[in-house]
Amino acid sequence: MKNIAIIGAGTMGNGIAHTFAQTGFKVNLIDISDAALERGMSTITKNLDRMVAKEKITTADKDATLANITTITSIEEGVENADLVVEAATENVDLKLKIFKDLDTTCPEKTILATNTSSISITQIAAVTNRPERVIGMHFMNPVPIMKLVEIIRGYNTTDDVTNQIMEMSKKLGKIPVEVNDYPGFVANRILMPMINESIETLYNGVAGVSEIDTVMKLGMAHPMGPLQLADFIGLDVCLSILEVMYNGFKNPKYAPCPLLVNMVRAGKLGVKSGEGFYNYAESRKAEKVSAQFSS
């Protein structure tokens, strides 16, 4: 597989595109918005510049990586020669199902369709296509160029051959793939999101303040970032969406989102992306400081 198409130029999409391109793959980065594509390429360039400054790559490596990426606003044009498509759109079931229906009709029969979903059933997504055996989950971690883990999730019909190909490709990217089964939240978020949700409950119940909760987890549990700060970094809307998928999937009240989280999302306080969450990021340099702390 040489030609990769990435659907979505947001945080995860541009990070995935960066990673594939830096490894030598030809990448079509696809988004319906020219502005989103410009922001995505700007982020990739800044991250490459940071790697050059730290002497992790050379200027020639940076230039080669950027040359491997083509930005496109048409899905049909962007996937016509793709060996692999990785969907990295918003964590919304209806949106992902629509994208996969479209991909199934526009991609060559050989194309493997992967989703970067962090919680939604791969089997459900695969069921809207005529190639469920060639649909798989590739859940990258944020920030993608830095984090080593990729959760590989096979749907009910995903073949061994497709799974093995994606496992090997992930290794070529310098990642460590871990195969997990198709249940809501998979492994990473099934464990992480209840911890974040319980941290929000702890704040909601007045047990301690934001900085105190994060300090306990950083100093007491050796976490590089407190759970509330991490929730801000992930996006509170994303956390809520994942918890709702798990709650609806398991019908277990332990996954029910905390009312405080629900209200914050309704109020538009989504974390770093909106400028305010559990912390205030009104000044852009504060937001950049949080991102740099997590990716350093």
Side-chain angles (χ1 to χ4, degrees):
M1 291 188 283
K2 296 180 180 179
N3 299 315
I4 313 298
I6 310 297
I7 308 295
T11 300
M12 296 304 296
N14 70 61
I16 295 168
H18 173 162
T19 300
F20 272 102
Q22 190 175 329
T23 316
F25 291 92
K26 297 297 182 182
V27 177
N28 285 346
L29 180 58
I30 306 165
D31 201 295
I32 59 172
S33 166
D34 283 319
L37 288 169
E38 289 174 7
R39 288 193 298 271
M41 290 305 298
S42 175
T43 297
I44 292 170
T45 301
K46 288 178 182 177
N47 287 337
L48 288 169
D49 285 338
R50 187 178 297 117
M51 296 175 77
V52 170
K54 293 181 178 180
E55 299 184 345
K56 292 184 176 180
I57 63 172
T58 66
T59 300
D61 293 330
K62 169 195 165 183
D63 293 341
T65 298
L66 293 174
N68 281 334
I69 303 174
T70 302
T71 57
I72 300 177
T73 55
S74 165
I75 288 183
E76 184 172 352
E77 180 184 349
V79 304
E80 61 184 2
N81 295 314
D83 299 307
L84 169 68
V85 177
V86 182
E87 170 273 318
T90 304
E91 193 74 351
N92 176 283
V93 175
D94 293 335
L95 175 61
K96 290 186 185 294
L97 296 183
K98 181 183 183 305
I99 289 173
F100 272 78
K101 284 181 182 178
D102 292 342
L103 290 174
D104 189 47
T105 60
T106 55
C107 290
E109 290 184 8
K110 66 172 184 177
T111 307
I112 295 174
L113 305 181
T115 173
N116 183 57
T117 182
S118 57
S119 61
I120 299 169
S121 167
I122 307 304
T123 303
Q124 181 183 6
I125 292 172
V128 303
T129 76
N130 291 308
R131 62 181 90 190
E133 73 284 354
R134 299 187 71 76
V135 177
I136 196 166
M138 291 184 78
H139 179 209
F140 290 86
M141 304 294 123
N142 186 27
V144 180
I146 303 297
M147 302 293 278
K148 290 292 186 182
L149 174 67
V150 183
E151 276 188 305
I152 305 299
I153 311 102
R154 59 190 301 167
Y156 188 83
N157 291 300
T158 309
T159 63
D160 290 341
D161 178 59
V162 166
T163 302
N164 291 336
Q165 285 188 66
I166 297 303
M167 292 285 283
E168 289 305 311
M169 171 172 274
S170 299
K171 293 175 184 176
K172 289 179 181 178
L173 296 175
K175 304 301 184 185
I176 300 174
V178 177
E179 183 180 340
V180 305
N181 291 320
D182 187 19
Y183 291 95
F186 315 132
V187 172
N189 281 321
R190 186 168 179 174
I191 295 170
L192 174 63
M193 286 302 153
M195 183 191 75
I196 286 176
N197 198 44
E198 191 62 29
S199 301
I200 300 171
E201 286 278 2
T202 302
L203 176 66
Y204 181 58
N205 292 330
V207 178
V210 171
S211 62
E212 288 79 10
I213 292 169
D214 278 353
T215 299
V216 167
M217 297 304 291
K218 286 190 288 186
L219 299 184
M221 311 303 165
H223 290 191
M225 179 179 286
L228 299 177
Q229 189 180 20
L230 178 57
D232 275 355
F233 184 82
I234 294 169
L236 302 192
D237 53 336
V238 176
C239 293
L240 177 60
S241 176
I242 295 170
L243 284 165
E244 288 176 337
V245 167
M246 293 169 64
Y247 179 60
N248 292 330
F250 291 114
K251 308 299 183 196
N252 189 323
K254 75 178 182 178
Y255 299 115
C258 175
L260 176 58
L261 174 61
V262 174
N263 280 339
M264 290 179 71
V265 172
R266 286 174 178 169
K269 299 184 186 304
L270 309 180
V272 173
K273 70 174 77 173
S274 69
E276 184 178 358
F278 293 106
Y279 294 87
N280 193 320
Y281 309 95
E283 299 176 19
S284 60
R285 64 182 182 82
K286 291 184 179 179
E288 291 173 358
K289 183 177 180 181
V290 172
S291 298
Q293 176 183 349
F294 189 64
S295 60
S296 61

